[in-house]
Amino acid sequence: MLKIQVISNKKIIRSNDFSIRYAPYNSPMTFDMFDINIINLQDENIWKNNGSQANRINITNDLISLNALIKNNTKSKVVILMPMNYNMLFLYNKYDLAYEYQYNIKDRLDCFYEILRELITGIGRYQIIFENSRTKCEYSFFDSSFSFLNCDKIAVTKAEGSGRATTICLNERLYLTTLLMESTNCNFKDFIEAIGLADEKLEYPQWLIELERFDDVIQRDIIKNDIIKIEELKCEIERANEIINKNLNYKSILIENGERLISVVFDILQTLLMYDLSGFKDEKKEDFLIKLDNITFIGEIKGITSNVKSENISQLDVHYQSYLEKLQEDEKEEEIKALLIINSQRNKPLEVREPIHKKQVDLAIRNGSLIITTEKLLSLYEKFIANKIDTNRVIKLFTEQTGLFEFD
């Protein structure tokens, strides 16, 4: 009986003809344990991105990992189930509990290719077109939303009428199909037989497997040692992924706003200034108040889609003046510096963001405050953790600069 692993968050294939194991996208078993591995993209729920990118989905990192498994696969067949013409949703608004933007996959094939490229190396060589069609496989008819153009030489199944490819064989182990598997009228076994993967392997008895002949002992020792090495490498990969995810969290200050932005900026400021902000209470005034020996930093943290506006700087000055008045009432004196940490044009890549206008920089200079973009803050933090700058230097930079923060 063929052993099949289906990588999917939902059960789409029901068949008593095969031994089927399901695994989520983020934790599949090694492909070589199975005769066939099926990667399911026919799930509307995965065609979403909580972020602002239209060419990325929430499981993109899992697709990258699956791409590596496909490349390292040495024995089994891999079948990728391409999606139907689903709605792609992106930019999740946690306050409205809804996505702000959407598009049909057929209307943004450029974004579709970008998403697929993380899973399928070289997908750009194959032209995908929108075409609702039906394909006969043995005794079943399968629906699809897309076809492959000019792929006759590698076509395995073809749509009725147009004759265009609906399943193609990219190499001896990798298949792409646009045929919808989740249908009560279709027999999955018919599909497997139609693409030539239904040949069953001879089942060897256990006593024959355990019988040691030729160089079986040597080969089993090699396998045992290599398994140990693989486990060690898996640990290294896991540690590397943890670091990458931690770095991604810090990099998120380039796209975030609200509480998520404040949380990560707090983490960075605490490290840079060696200061504990856990006791800071948000009284709907300033976003942070950091009292050091010779200077007090009072600040506003903003994430906006526009460029920096005068009102952002003026709001910071309101907090500054309010705190100054409180000091005067308490007959206290402190050296105060107002900092505006701002993620402007957060929906744009860094390379297309416009510089902050001179008018806003001049206003900050007049107020004696400092505008720090999250891009510059991230660069400063990167230098700090690389031990190329220390806390005293950071304090000096924040204290002495006004206008727009510059750091080389």
mmCIF file with all atom_site columns, all heavy atoms in Angstrom, residues 248-269:
data_model
loop_
_atom_site.group_PDB
_atom_site.id
_atom_site.type_symbol
_atom_site.label_atom_id
_atom_site.label_alt_id
_atom_site.label_comp_id
_atom_site.label_asym_id
_atom_site.label_entity_id
_atom_site.label_seq_id
_atom_site.pdbx_PDB_ins_code
_atom_site.Cartn_x
_atom_site.Cartn_y
_atom_site.Cartn_z
_atom_site.occupancy
_atom_site.B_iso_or_equiv
_atom_site.pdbx_formal_charge
_atom_site.auth_seq_id
_atom_site.auth_comp_id
_atom_site.auth_asym_id
_atom_site.auth_atom_id
_atom_site.pdbx_PDB_model_num
ATOM 1   N N   . LEU A 1 248 ? 13.412 39.260 13.151 1.00 0.00 ? 248 LEU A N   1
ATOM 2   C CA  . LEU A 1 248 ? 12.222 39.715 12.435 1.00 0.00 ? 248 LEU A CA  1
ATOM 3   C C   . LEU A 1 248 ? 11.330 40.550 13.349 1.00 0.00 ? 248 LEU A C   1
ATOM 4   O O   . LEU A 1 248 ? 10.731 41.533 12.915 1.00 0.00 ? 248 LEU A O   1
ATOM 5   C CB  . LEU A 1 248 ? 11.449 38.507 11.899 1.00 0.00 ? 248 LEU A CB  1
ATOM 6   C CG  . LEU A 1 248 ? 10.265 38.804 10.970 1.00 0.00 ? 248 LEU A CG  1
ATOM 7   C CD1 . LEU A 1 248 ? 10.735 39.536 9.725  1.00 0.00 ? 248 LEU A CD1 1
ATOM 8   C CD2 . LEU A 1 248 ? 9.553  37.517 10.587 1.00 0.00 ? 248 LEU A CD2 1
ATOM 9   N N   . ASN A 1 249 ? 11.276 40.159 14.615 1.00 0.00 ? 249 ASN A N   1
ATOM 10  C CA  . ASN A 1 249 ? 10.484 40.924 15.580 1.00 0.00 ? 249 ASN A CA  1
ATOM 11  C C   . ASN A 1 249 ? 11.025 42.347 15.710 1.00 0.00 ? 249 ASN A C   1
ATOM 12  O O   . ASN A 1 249 ? 10.256 43.318 15.735 1.00 0.00 ? 249 ASN A O   1
ATOM 13  C CB  . ASN A 1 249 ? 10.502 40.224 16.934 1.00 0.00 ? 249 ASN A CB  1
ATOM 14  C CG  . ASN A 1 249 ? 9.680  40.956 17.973 1.00 0.00 ? 249 ASN A CG  1
ATOM 15  O OD1 . ASN A 1 249 ? 8.494  41.225 17.777 1.00 0.00 ? 249 ASN A OD1 1
ATOM 16  N ND2 . ASN A 1 249 ? 10.294 41.294 19.084 1.00 0.00 ? 249 ASN A ND2 1
ATOM 17  N N   . TYR A 1 250 ? 12.363 42.479 15.773 1.00 0.00 ? 250 TYR A N   1
ATOM 18  C CA  . TYR A 1 250 ? 12.958 43.816 15.853 1.00 0.00 ? 250 TYR A CA  1
ATOM 19  C C   . TYR A 1 250 ? 12.727 44.592 14.551 1.00 0.00 ? 250 TYR A C   1
ATOM 20  O O   . TYR A 1 250 ? 12.412 45.784 14.574 1.00 0.00 ? 250 TYR A O   1
ATOM 21  C CB  . TYR A 1 250 ? 14.458 43.720 16.147 1.00 0.00 ? 250 TYR A CB  1
ATOM 22  C CG  . TYR A 1 250 ? 14.766 43.307 17.571 1.00 0.00 ? 250 TYR A CG  1
ATOM 23  C CD1 . TYR A 1 250 ? 15.538 42.187 17.845 1.00 0.00 ? 250 TYR A CD1 1
ATOM 24  C CD2 . TYR A 1 250 ? 14.277 44.035 18.645 1.00 0.00 ? 250 TYR A CD2 1
ATOM 25  C CE1 . TYR A 1 250 ? 15.797 41.794 19.151 1.00 0.00 ? 250 TYR A CE1 1
ATOM 26  C CE2 . TYR A 1 250 ? 14.539 43.664 19.949 1.00 0.00 ? 250 TYR A CE2 1
ATOM 27  C CZ  . TYR A 1 250 ? 15.297 42.541 20.198 1.00 0.00 ? 250 TYR A CZ  1
ATOM 28  O OH  . TYR A 1 250 ? 15.552 42.168 21.494 1.00 0.00 ? 250 TYR A OH  1
ATOM 29  N N   . LYS A 1 251 ? 12.870 43.914 13.419 1.00 0.00 ? 251 LYS A N   1
ATOM 30  C CA  . LYS A 1 251 ? 12.665 44.579 12.130 1.00 0.00 ? 251 LYS A CA  1
ATOM 31  C C   . LYS A 1 251 ? 11.223 45.026 11.929 1.00 0.00 ? 251 LYS A C   1
ATOM 32  O O   . LYS A 1 251 ? 10.955 45.882 11.082 1.00 0.00 ? 251 LYS A O   1
ATOM 33  C CB  . LYS A 1 251 ? 13.091 43.656 10.982 1.00 0.00 ? 251 LYS A CB  1
ATOM 34  C CG  . LYS A 1 251 ? 14.591 43.417 10.896 1.00 0.00 ? 251 LYS A CG  1
ATOM 35  C CD  . LYS A 1 251 ? 14.977 42.664 9.634  1.00 0.00 ? 251 LYS A CD  1
ATOM 36  C CE  . LYS A 1 251 ? 14.474 41.254 9.609  1.00 0.00 ? 251 LYS A CE  1
ATOM 37  N NZ  . LYS A 1 251 ? 14.918 40.501 8.414  1.00 0.00 ? 251 LYS A NZ  1
ATOM 38  N N   . SER A 1 252 ? 10.305 44.459 12.721 1.00 0.00 ? 252 SER A N   1
ATOM 39  C CA  . SER A 1 252 ? 8.890  44.806 12.558 1.00 0.00 ? 252 SER A CA  1
ATOM 40  C C   . SER A 1 252 ? 8.607  46.267 12.874 1.00 0.00 ? 252 SER A C   1
ATOM 41  O O   . SER A 1 252 ? 7.551  46.781 12.518 1.00 0.00 ? 252 SER A O   1
ATOM 42  C CB  . SER A 1 252 ? 8.020  43.901 13.436 1.00 0.00 ? 252 SER A CB  1
ATOM 43  O OG  . SER A 1 252 ? 8.158  44.232 14.815 1.00 0.00 ? 252 SER A OG  1
ATOM 44  N N   . ILE A 1 253 ? 9.540  46.964 13.539 1.00 0.00 ? 253 ILE A N   1
ATOM 45  C CA  . ILE A 1 253 ? 9.313  48.393 13.810 1.00 0.00 ? 253 ILE A CA  1
ATOM 46  C C   . ILE A 1 253 ? 9.302  49.202 12.515 1.00 0.00 ? 253 ILE A C   1
ATOM 47  O O   . ILE A 1 253 ? 8.959  50.385 12.524 1.00 0.00 ? 253 ILE A O   1
ATOM 48  C CB  . ILE A 1 253 ? 10.358 48.979 14.786 1.00 0.00 ? 253 ILE A CB  1
ATOM 49  C CG1 . ILE A 1 253 ? 11.773 48.985 14.179 1.00 0.00 ? 253 ILE A CG1 1
ATOM 50  C CG2 . ILE A 1 253 ? 10.347 48.240 16.115 1.00 0.00 ? 253 ILE A CG2 1
ATOM 51  C CD1 . ILE A 1 253 ? 12.791 49.729 15.024 1.00 0.00 ? 253 ILE A CD1 1
ATOM 52  N N   . LEU A 1 254 ? 9.658  48.583 11.393 1.00 0.00 ? 254 LEU A N   1
ATOM 53  C CA  . LEU A 1 254 ? 9.616  49.265 10.096 1.00 0.00 ? 254 LEU A CA  1
ATOM 54  C C   . LEU A 1 254 ? 8.233  49.172 9.449  1.00 0.00 ? 254 LEU A C   1
ATOM 55  O O   . LEU A 1 254 ? 7.985  49.831 8.428  1.00 0.00 ? 254 LEU A O   1
ATOM 56  C CB  . LEU A 1 254 ? 10.668 48.677 9.156  1.00 0.00 ? 254 LEU A CB  1
ATOM 57  C CG  . LEU A 1 254 ? 12.114 48.757 9.646  1.00 0.00 ? 254 LEU A CG  1
ATOM 58  C CD1 . LEU A 1 254 ? 13.039 48.027 8.688  1.00 0.00 ? 254 LEU A CD1 1
ATOM 59  C CD2 . LEU A 1 254 ? 12.548 50.201 9.806  1.00 0.00 ? 254 LEU A CD2 1
ATOM 60  N N   . ILE A 1 255 ? 7.325  48.356 10.017 1.00 0.00 ? 255 ILE A N   1
ATOM 61  C CA  . ILE A 1 255 ? 5.982  48.235 9.421  1.00 0.00 ? 255 ILE A CA  1
ATOM 62  C C   . ILE A 1 255 ? 4.858  48.391 10.442 1.00 0.00 ? 255 ILE A C   1
ATOM 63  O O   . ILE A 1 255 ? 3.718  48.618 10.061 1.00 0.00 ? 255 ILE A O   1
ATOM 64  C CB  . ILE A 1 255 ? 5.797  46.873 8.711  1.00 0.00 ? 255 ILE A CB  1
ATOM 65  C CG1 . ILE A 1 255 ? 5.934  45.715 9.706  1.00 0.00 ? 255 ILE A CG1 1
ATOM 66  C CG2 . ILE A 1 255 ? 6.774  46.721 7.554  1.00 0.00 ? 255 ILE A CG2 1
ATOM 67  C CD1 . ILE A 1 255 ? 5.488  44.372 9.150  1.00 0.00 ? 255 ILE A CD1 1
ATOM 68  N N   . GLU A 1 256 ? 5.176  48.298 11.739 1.00 0.00 ? 256 GLU A N   1
ATOM 69  C CA  . GLU A 1 256 ? 4.131  48.259 12.759 1.00 0.00 ? 256 GLU A CA  1
ATOM 70  C C   . GLU A 1 256 ? 3.688  49.650 13.211 1.00 0.00 ? 256 GLU A C   1
ATOM 71  O O   . GLU A 1 256 ? 4.338  50.662 12.947 1.00 0.00 ? 256 GLU A O   1
ATOM 72  C CB  . GLU A 1 256 ? 4.613  47.465 13.980 1.00 0.00 ? 256 GLU A CB  1
ATOM 73  C CG  . GLU A 1 256 ? 4.758  45.970 13.742 1.00 0.00 ? 256 GLU A CG  1
ATOM 74  C CD  . GLU A 1 256 ? 3.415  45.276 13.601 1.00 0.00 ? 256 GLU A CD  1
ATOM 75  O OE1 . GLU A 1 256 ? 2.373  45.958 13.644 1.00 0.00 ? 256 GLU A OE1 1
ATOM 76  O OE2 . GLU A 1 256 ? 3.413  44.041 13.442 1.00 0.00 ? 256 GLU A OE2 1
ATOM 77  N N   . ASN A 1 257 ? 2.581  49.671 13.939 1.00 0.00 ? 257 ASN A N   1
ATOM 78  C CA  . ASN A 1 257 ? 2.112  50.864 14.629 1.00 0.00 ? 257 ASN A CA  1
ATOM 79  C C   . ASN A 1 257 ? 1.437  50.424 15.917 1.00 0.00 ? 257 ASN A C   1
ATOM 80  O O   . ASN A 1 257 ? 1.381  49.235 16.234 1.00 0.00 ? 257 ASN A O   1
ATOM 81  C CB  . ASN A 1 257 ? 1.151  51.675 13.749 1.00 0.00 ? 257 ASN A CB  1
ATOM 82  C CG  . ASN A 1 257 ? -0.158 50.938 13.501 1.00 0.00 ? 257 ASN A CG  1
ATOM 83  O OD1 . ASN A 1 257 ? -0.244 49.720 13.662 1.00 0.00 ? 257 ASN A OD1 1
ATOM 84  N ND2 . ASN A 1 257 ? -1.185 51.657 13.101 1.00 0.00 ? 257 ASN A ND2 1
ATOM 85  N N   . GLY A 1 258 ? 0.926  51.384 16.703 1.00 0.00 ? 258 GLY A N   1
ATOM 86  C CA  . GLY A 1 258 ? 0.183  51.051 17.906 1.00 0.00 ? 258 GLY A CA  1
ATOM 87  C C   . GLY A 1 258 ? 0.996  50.312 18.953 1.00 0.00 ? 258 GLY A C   1
ATOM 88  O O   . GLY A 1 258 ? 2.205  50.510 19.090 1.00 0.00 ? 258 GLY A O   1
ATOM 89  N N   . GLU A 1 259 ? 0.317  49.433 19.695 1.00 0.00 ? 259 GLU A N   1
ATOM 90  C CA  . GLU A 1 259 ? 0.936  48.753 20.834 1.00 0.00 ? 259 GLU A CA  1
ATOM 91  C C   . GLU A 1 259 ? 2.080  47.827 20.422 1.00 0.00 ? 259 GLU A C   1
ATOM 92  O O   . GLU A 1 259 ? 3.061  47.679 21.140 1.00 0.00 ? 259 GLU A O   1
ATOM 93  C CB  . GLU A 1 259 ? -0.130 47.945 21.597 1.00 0.00 ? 259 GLU A CB  1
ATOM 94  C CG  . GLU A 1 259 ? -1.183 48.801 22.290 1.00 0.00 ? 259 GLU A CG  1
ATOM 95  C CD  . GLU A 1 259 ? -0.564 49.761 23.310 1.00 0.00 ? 259 GLU A CD  1
ATOM 96  O OE1 . GLU A 1 259 ? 0.396  49.364 23.996 1.00 0.00 ? 259 GLU A OE1 1
ATOM 97  O OE2 . GLU A 1 259 ? -1.037 50.900 23.409 1.00 0.00 ? 259 GLU A OE2 1
ATOM 98  N N   . ARG A 1 260 ? 1.960  47.182 19.249 1.00 0.00 ? 260 ARG A N   1
ATOM 99  C CA  . ARG A 1 260 ? 3.031  46.278 18.797 1.00 0.00 ? 260 ARG A CA  1
ATOM 100 C C   . ARG A 1 260 ? 4.312  47.063 18.545 1.00 0.00 ? 260 ARG A C   1
ATOM 101 O O   . ARG A 1 260 ? 5.416  46.607 18.873 1.00 0.00 ? 260 ARG A O   1
ATOM 102 C CB  . ARG A 1 260 ? 2.593  45.533 17.539 1.00 0.00 ? 260 ARG A CB  1
ATOM 103 C CG  . ARG A 1 260 ? 1.562  44.465 17.786 1.00 0.00 ? 260 ARG A CG  1
ATOM 104 C CD  . ARG A 1 260 ? 1.067  43.873 16.477 1.00 0.00 ? 260 ARG A CD  1
ATOM 105 N NE  . ARG A 1 260 ? 2.151  43.223 15.763 1.00 0.00 ? 260 ARG A NE  1
ATOM 106 C CZ  . ARG A 1 260 ? 2.355  41.916 15.769 1.00 0.00 ? 260 ARG A CZ  1
ATOM 107 N NH1 . ARG A 1 260 ? 1.553  41.139 16.447 1.00 0.00 ? 260 ARG A NH1 1
ATOM 108 N NH2 . ARG A 1 260 ? 3.340  41.389 15.087 1.00 0.00 ? 260 ARG A NH2 1
ATOM 109 N N   . LEU A 1 261 ? 4.180  48.243 17.950 1.00 0.00 ? 261 LEU A N   1
ATOM 110 C CA  . LEU A 1 261 ? 5.356  49.092 17.707 1.00 0.00 ? 261 LEU A CA  1
ATOM 111 C C   . LEU A 1 261 ? 5.958  49.544 19.031 1.00 0.00 ? 261 LEU A C   1
ATOM 112 O O   . LEU A 1 261 ? 7.180  49.464 19.238 1.00 0.00 ? 261 LEU A O   1
ATOM 113 C CB  . LEU A 1 261 ? 4.958  50.296 16.863 1.00 0.00 ? 261 LEU A CB  1
ATOM 114 C CG  . LEU A 1 261 ? 6.047  51.361 16.632 1.00 0.00 ? 261 LEU A CG  1
ATOM 115 C CD1 . LEU A 1 261 ? 7.228  50.777 15.862 1.00 0.00 ? 261 LEU A CD1 1
ATOM 116 C CD2 . LEU A 1 261 ? 5.474  52.566 15.894 1.00 0.00 ? 261 LEU A CD2 1
ATOM 117 N N   . ILE A 1 262 ? 5.104  50.013 19.940 1.00 0.00 ? 262 ILE A N   1
ATOM 118 C CA  . ILE A 1 262 ? 5.590  50.510 21.233 1.00 0.00 ? 262 ILE A CA  1
ATOM 119 C C   . ILE A 1 262 ? 6.331  49.399 21.985 1.00 0.00 ? 262 ILE A C   1
ATOM 120 O O   . ILE A 1 262 ? 7.395  49.619 22.566 1.00 0.00 ? 262 ILE A O   1
ATOM 121 C CB  . ILE A 1 262 ? 4.414  51.048 22.075 1.00 0.00 ? 262 ILE A CB  1
ATOM 122 C CG1 . ILE A 1 262 ? 3.883  52.342 21.453 1.00 0.00 ? 262 ILE A CG1 1
ATOM 123 C CG2 . ILE A 1 262 ? 4.844  51.294 23.518 1.00 0.00 ? 262 ILE A CG2 1
ATOM 124 C CD1 . ILE A 1 262 ? 2.617  52.862 22.104 1.00 0.00 ? 262 ILE A CD1 1
ATOM 125 N N   . SER A 1 263 ? 5.790  48.187 21.950 1.00 0.00 ? 263 SER A N   1
ATOM 126 C CA  . SER A 1 263 ? 6.394  47.071 22.678 1.00 0.00 ? 263 SER A CA  1
ATOM 127 C C   . SER A 1 263 ? 7.822  46.786 22.211 1.00 0.00 ? 263 SER A C   1
ATOM 128 O O   . SER A 1 263 ? 8.737  46.626 23.028 1.00 0.00 ? 263 SER A O   1
ATOM 129 C CB  . SER A 1 263 ? 5.524  45.826 22.505 1.00 0.00 ? 263 SER A CB  1
ATOM 130 O OG  . SER A 1 263 ? 6.134  44.702 23.088 1.00 0.00 ? 263 SER A OG  1
ATOM 131 N N   . VAL A 1 264 ? 8.031  46.743 20.881 1.00 0.00 ? 264 VAL A N   1
ATOM 132 C CA  . VAL A 1 264 ? 9.364  46.435 20.356 1.00 0.00 ? 264 VAL A CA  1
ATOM 133 C C   . VAL A 1 264 ? 10.320 47.611 20.585 1.00 0.00 ? 264 VAL A C   1
ATOM 134 O O   . VAL A 1 264 ? 11.488 47.418 20.937 1.00 0.00 ? 264 VAL A O   1
ATOM 135 C CB  . VAL A 1 264 ? 9.295  46.078 18.861 1.00 0.00 ? 264 VAL A CB  1
ATOM 136 C CG1 . VAL A 1 264 ? 10.680 45.706 18.340 1.00 0.00 ? 264 VAL A CG1 1
ATOM 137 C CG2 . VAL A 1 264 ? 8.346  44.915 18.616 1.00 0.00 ? 264 VAL A CG2 1
ATOM 138 N N   . VAL A 1 265 ? 9.823  48.854 20.414 1.00 0.00 ? 265 VAL A N   1
ATOM 139 C CA  . VAL A 1 265 ? 10.674 50.032 20.655 1.00 0.00 ? 265 VAL A CA  1
ATOM 140 C C   . VAL A 1 265 ? 11.095 50.081 22.114 1.00 0.00 ? 265 VAL A C   1
ATOM 141 O O   . VAL A 1 265 ? 12.250 50.391 22.432 1.00 0.00 ? 265 VAL A O   1
ATOM 142 C CB  . VAL A 1 265 ? 9.940  51.328 20.251 1.00 0.00 ? 265 VAL A CB  1
ATOM 143 C CG1 . VAL A 1 265 ? 10.696 52.554 20.754 1.00 0.00 ? 265 VAL A CG1 1
ATOM 144 C CG2 . VAL A 1 265 ? 9.789  51.402 18.735 1.00 0.00 ? 265 VAL A CG2 1
ATOM 145 N N   . PHE A 1 266 ? 10.173 49.743 23.035 1.00 0.00 ? 266 PHE A N   1
ATOM 146 C CA  . PHE A 1 266 ? 10.522 49.676 24.457 1.00 0.00 ? 266 PHE A CA  1
ATOM 147 C C   . PHE A 1 266 ? 11.677 48.707 24.679 1.00 0.00 ? 266 PHE A C   1
ATOM 148 O O   . PHE A 1 266 ? 12.623 49.000 25.420 1.00 0.00 ? 266 PHE A O   1
ATOM 149 C CB  . PHE A 1 266 ? 9.302  49.231 25.270 1.00 0.00 ? 266 PHE A CB  1
ATOM 150 C CG  . PHE A 1 266 ? 8.497  50.365 25.835 1.00 0.00 ? 266 PHE A CG  1
ATOM 151 C CD1 . PHE A 1 266 ? 8.319  51.539 25.115 1.00 0.00 ? 266 PHE A CD1 1
ATOM 152 C CD2 . PHE A 1 266 ? 7.898  50.265 27.082 1.00 0.00 ? 266 PHE A CD2 1
ATOM 153 C CE1 . PHE A 1 266 ? 7.563  52.577 25.626 1.00 0.00 ? 266 PHE A CE1 1
ATOM 154 C CE2 . PHE A 1 266 ? 7.151  51.309 27.608 1.00 0.00 ? 266 PHE A CE2 1
ATOM 155 C CZ  . PHE A 1 266 ? 6.980  52.464 26.877 1.00 0.00 ? 266 PHE A CZ  1
ATOM 156 N N   . ASP A 1 267 ? 11.575 47.546 24.067 1.00 0.00 ? 267 ASP A N   1
ATOM 157 C CA  . ASP A 1 267 ? 12.607 46.513 24.209 1.00 0.00 ? 267 ASP A CA  1
ATOM 158 C C   . ASP A 1 267 ? 13.965 47.057 23.749 1.00 0.00 ? 267 ASP A C   1
ATOM 159 O O   . ASP A 1 267 ? 14.991 46.863 24.412 1.00 0.00 ? 267 ASP A O   1
ATOM 160 C CB  . ASP A 1 267 ? 12.217 45.286 23.390 1.00 0.00 ? 267 ASP A CB  1
ATOM 161 C CG  . ASP A 1 267 ? 13.060 44.066 23.712 1.00 0.00 ? 267 ASP A CG  1
ATOM 162 O OD1 . ASP A 1 267 ? 13.866 44.143 24.656 1.00 0.00 ? 267 ASP A OD1 1
ATOM 163 O OD2 . ASP A 1 267 ? 12.923 43.055 23.028 1.00 0.00 ? 267 ASP A OD2 1
ATOM 164 N N   . ILE A 1 268 ? 13.958 47.757 22.611 1.00 0.00 ? 268 ILE A N   1
ATOM 165 C CA  . ILE A 1 268 ? 15.205 48.314 22.065 1.00 0.00 ? 268 ILE A CA  1
ATOM 166 C C   . ILE A 1 268 ? 15.755 49.414 22.967 1.00 0.00 ? 268 ILE A C   1
ATOM 167 O O   . ILE A 1 268 ? 16.960 49.450 23.278 1.00 0.00 ? 268 ILE A O   1
ATOM 168 C CB  . ILE A 1 268 ? 14.976 48.835 20.634 1.00 0.00 ? 268 ILE A CB  1
ATOM 169 C CG1 . ILE A 1 268 ? 14.702 47.662 19.676 1.00 0.00 ? 268 ILE A CG1 1
ATOM 170 C CG2 . ILE A 1 268 ? 16.175 49.644 20.150 1.00 0.00 ? 268 ILE A CG2 1
ATOM 171 C CD1 . ILE A 1 268 ? 14.332 48.078 18.271 1.00 0.00 ? 268 ILE A CD1 1
ATOM 172 N N   . LEU A 1 269 ? 14.890 50.328 23.427 1.00 0.00 ? 269 LEU A N   1
ATOM 173 C CA  . LEU A 1 269 ? 15.335 51.437 24.290 1.00 0.00 ? 269 LEU A CA  1
ATOM 174 C C   . LEU A 1 269 ? 15.896 50.916 25.602 1.00 0.00 ? 269 LEU A C   1
ATOM 175 O O   . LEU A 1 269 ? 16.900 51.446 26.112 1.00 0.00 ? 269 LEU A O   1
ATOM 176 C CB  . LEU A 1 269 ? 14.176 52.392 24.553 1.00 0.00 ? 269 LEU A CB  1
ATOM 177 C CG  . LEU A 1 269 ? 13.713 53.257 23.370 1.00 0.00 ? 269 LEU A CG  1
ATOM 178 C CD1 . LEU A 1 269 ? 12.508 54.103 23.776 1.00 0.00 ? 269 LEU A CD1 1
ATOM 179 C CD2 . LEU A 1 269 ? 14.835 54.152 22.865 1.00 0.00 ? 269 LEU A CD2 1
#
